[in-house]
Amino acid sequence: MTQATEQLKKRLSTIGNIQRAAALLEWDMQTYMPQGGAAARAEQLATLSEISHDMFASQETVRLLEQAEQSASSLDPSSEEARLVQRARRDYDHTARIPTELQSDIARHSALAQDVWQRARAANDFPTFAPYLEKSFDLARQVADNLGYTTEPYDALLDMFEEDAKAAEIAIMFADLKPHLVELTKAIVKSPRKGQDAPIPGPFPIEAQNAVTKKIVASLGYDFNRGSQDQAPHPFCSGFSRNDVRITTRFNRDYLNMALYASLHEAGHAMYEQGLPEEYDNTPLGHAASMGAHESQSRLWENLVGRSRQFAEYVLPTLKEAFPSQMGNVTPDQFYRSANCVQPSFIRVEADEVTYNLHVLLRFELERDVLSGNLKVADLPEAWNAKMQEYLGVTPAAHSEGVMQDVHWAAGLIGYFPTYSLGNLLSAQLWNSIRKVNPDLDEQLRRGEFAPLLGWLREKIHSRARLLKPDALIREATGESLNAKYYVDYLKFKYTALYEL
Ligand code: ZN
């Protein structure tokens, strides 16, 4: 690295430390902070956000950035150093376009709105939450206006999570996907096999659920020396360095799969973060390529691995050991079916693989409409319920299992939802590529040998960190751009057999 780039890196790592400290406060806010701490925590996060924003957008940072650009201009643009400087430029431009006051408003509002959301959701009280939601969209619109866009404000927000993605392309992707999903769901609901996918009856004591899910994610390759598992109302993964990446999960005494699949999902995210190269830690390269790439990892471990027939065989003895009386007579086939129950339902995070993307489509359309001014926040609950009926044939009886179920809008993550579907599609595309080079994959999963799979992901995705833009990463790993065909084929193959369609 040239001296100019070293100096830029040093400056950015100082800013990174402030952002990581803020991330730890957010992790605490969602795990251990007593409810009374909400207002002060919002101020702490706003202050840290202001400090890091001012440092990033400062004359000093831009001076170092320009020096580094100067010295990198003679380098191969695909070299590590040139890419680091390119990523720093993108981050700087984003930061500098957002006024400090807006940035700290967002940090403060997001903390307060999450607190209100949590209580309003529990009380099924949309009117109390509505002004906060209004403000979330208002702030998002201001962000989009400051970042700039050519077609619609949604593009500016989406680009923060998925570089170069466009709302119009996402809409086309969903238009291709939707008829397959609707048709498959309809066929499954009518299948005579439908009655055999019920959950395994509990109860499952929480302590034992916690212990067994930790054991299982550790066996996949999640490193607890550099991680931990705690509880949160809306499970998430948060990293403060590649050597401290924490997951959260949630428990239901009567439904083991809630915790199991939340843990698998979050461990998928966490293994990506733990697999980022040490030398990129706390630099502009030391991140995932995009949120879609991130979701591809969580969904791959949760679904392609965790909901496979092979995994059912592998994991059942471990579950029987933890819950001998509840699981004693359960067969792998029964467990496999219970983990893949396709059923139009209200809650996205608990949705099966077939209906899941319809939940995302609904959110994408609604937030796009609110942002463009075609839908008022006050009318969101009604619009939500109408789309649920149209896409899934069900209408939530309460807002808590409808428009208020997700934390994202309260947390300011508007434009984020499509990355879940991008991740789903990519997970199946990656799986297809892995199988080509590792024909023994199924047998390995049955035996609980996850190292070859993790090794492939480490090489193709994790170690590539943020060197490439999302599309280039996908092409490098799979030989082509994102292609929905693999996901559709995967679903049709799996569920045709499972439900004897
Ligand atoms: Zn996720």
Side-chain angles (χ1 to χ4, degrees):
M1 296 267 167
T2 59
Q3 205 195 341
T5 306
E6 287 298 348
Q7 284 176 347
L8 175 66
K9 268 175 73 179
K10 191 160 174 258
R11 173 83 178 170
L12 294 180
S13 86
T14 305
I15 297 166
N17 285 335
I18 297 166
Q19 292 166 340
R20 287 171 160 198
L24 183 59
L25 289 185
E26 278 179 40
W27 171 85
D28 173 74
M29 182 172 88
Q30 297 183 48
T31 49
Y32 292 104
M33 185 187 79
Q35 209 236 302
R41 184 58 49 89
E43 291 308 318
Q44 293 152 7
L45 287 166
T47 300
L48 287 178
S49 171
E50 220 170 289
I51 294 170
S52 73
H53 182 275
D54 279 349
M55 281 185 78
F56 209 154
S58 68
Q59 288 301 314
E60 175 63 2
T61 304
V62 79
R63 188 181 67 81
L64 294 170
L65 176 60
E66 282 167 2
Q67 274 179 13
E69 282 175 330
Q70 183 64 35
S71 71
S73 61
S74 56
L75 299 172
D76 173 358
S78 64
S79 68
E80 210 170 82
E81 178 166 353
R83 288 192 196 278
L84 185 144
V85 176
Q86 290 156 19
R87 306 327 256 159
R89 166 56 71 179
R90 171 174 154 91
D91 294 343
Y92 171 80
D93 285 346
H94 262 132
T95 309
R97 283 182 198 147
I98 308 290
T100 304
E101 205 183 304
L102 176 57
Q103 189 58 48
S104 64
D105 261 8
I106 291 169
R108 183 182 300 106
H109 173 70
S110 137
L112 290 174
Q114 287 181 67
D115 175 54
V116 172
W117 164 77
Q118 206 165 315
R119 283 177 288 127
R121 184 179 72 150
N124 190 35
D125 176 5
F126 184 76
T128 296
F129 180 52
Y132 290 85
L133 191 52
E134 188 92 59
K135 184 159 182 191
S136 288
F137 275 100
D138 208 53
L139 292 169
R141 218 174 279 118
Q142 290 181 48
V143 168
D145 288 343
N146 280 288
L147 291 178
Y149 50 85
T150 44
T151 314
E152 55 178 301
Y154 199 94
D155 285 345
L157 302 178
L158 181 59
D159 185 79
M160 292 195 292
F161 308 114
E162 198 68 23
E163 194 171 357
D164 295 340
K166 297 278 179 282
E169 290 163 16
I170 301 285
I172 293 170
M173 171 191 88
F174 277 121
D176 287 345
L177 206 52
K178 190 177 148 193
H180 295 290
L181 304 177
V182 169
E183 193 188 320
L184 196 52
T185 307
K186 279 186 183 153
I188 290 170
V189 171
K190 284 188 288 191
S191 157
R193 283 283 198 175
K194 186 71 195 85
Q196 296 168 13
D197 51 10
I200 312 292
F204 304 96
I206 306 295
E207 276 300 296
Q209 286 195 45
N210 190 28
V212 79
T213 50
K214 284 169 83 169
K215 186 173 171 183
I216 291 164
V217 296
S219 78
L220 303 180
Y222 174 52
D223 179 0
F224 273 96
N225 290 320
R226 302 189 285 137
S228 65
Q229 174 170 286
D230 296 272
Q231 273 191 71
H234 202 298
F236 65 98
C237 163
S238 192
F240 320 107
S241 85
R242 72 185 287 281
N243 296 319
D244 182 357
V245 186
R246 306 181 192 181
I247 63 170
T248 56
T249 192
R250 61 176 170 188
F251 301 104
N252 179 330
R253 240 175 79 83
D254 298 311
Y255 183 48
L256 176 63
N257 283 359
M258 178 183 275
L260 176 61
Y261 288 99
S263 291
L264 290 179
H265 180 99
E266 301 308 334
H269 282 303
M271 287 188 279
Y272 191 172
E273 297 280 327
Q274 290 185 334
L276 296 171
E278 179 96 62
E279 63 272 25
Y280 297 166
D281 195 45
N282 208 11
T283 78
L285 294 177
H287 301 275
S290 72
M291 289 320 296
H294 231 307
E295 286 302 326
S296 79
Q297 301 303 289
S298 55
R299 298 293 280 174
L300 185 144
W301 288 99
E302 177 192 355
N303 293 331
L304 283 293
V305 174
R307 296 187 204 272
S308 68
R309 183 68 168 75
Q310 294 76 18
F311 188 76
E313 284 179 41
Y314 159 70
V315 83
L316 201 53
T318 308
L319 295 176
K320 287 187 180 196
E321 202 184 325
F323 306 107
S325 62
Q326 301 89 328
M327 303 288 285
N329 297 321
V330 174
T331 64
D333 191 62
Q334 192 185 350
F335 183 79
Y336 177 52
R337 287 180 188 282
S338 80
N340 289 288
C341 170
V342 175
Q343 181 71 50
S345 64
F346 302 125
I347 307 290
R348 173 186 59 86
V349 293
E350 286 159 28
D352 57 85
E353 294 173 290
V354 182
T355 59
Y356 186 95
N357 293 293
L358 296 171
H359 290 262
V360 177
L361 169 62
L362 170 152
R363 287 154 175 78
F364 165 66
E365 291 180 339
L366 292 177
E367 56 185 14
R368 202 177 174 202
D369 281 349
V370 174
L371 273 178
S372 62
N374 294 332
L375 179 66
K376 290 197 186 81
V377 165
D379 298 331
L380 257 176
E382 206 180 315
W384 181 287
N385 290 356
K387 275 195 196 291
M388 280 300 284
Q389 189 58 46
E390 187 188 338
Y391 297 165
L392 288 152
V394 294
T395 302
H399 297 318
S400 52
E401 54 181 21
V403 68
M404 279 204 294
Q405 68 183 267
D406 290 308
V407 69
H408 300 61
W409 290 342
L413 294 172
I414 293 164
Y416 185 97
F417 281 115
T419 67
Y420 290 120
S421 291
L422 295 172
N424 282 331
L425 302 194
L426 180 55
S427 69
Q429 189 167 331
L430 291 172
W431 199 250
N432 179 71
S433 294
I434 299 162
R435 294 186 88 104
K436 277 192 212 151
V437 294
N438 184 358
D440 196 31
L441 183 62
D442 283 351
E443 283 311 309
Q444 291 164 0
L445 298 185
R446 209 186 301 278
R447 293 193 297 263
E449 292 169 19
F450 301 107
L453 170 61
L454 182 58
W456 190 91
L457 295 170
R458 287 265 195 263
E459 183 196 330
K460 301 289 182 185
I461 305 291
H462 308 174
S463 69
R464 303 300 281 154
R466 202 176 168 222
L467 285 166
L468 304 174
K469 289 185 180 193
D471 179 56
L473 178 75
I474 296 168
R475 280 188 282 114
E476 186 187 84
T478 71
E480 61 179 308
S481 291
L482 189 66
N483 185 343
K485 166 188 180 298
Y486 297 102
Y487 191 67
V488 172
D489 285 353
Y490 157 72
L491 289 182
K492 286 191 172 166
F493 182 78
K494 175 174 175 177
Y495 288 94
T496 299
L498 191 58
Y499 284 97
E500 294 174 6
L501 302 177

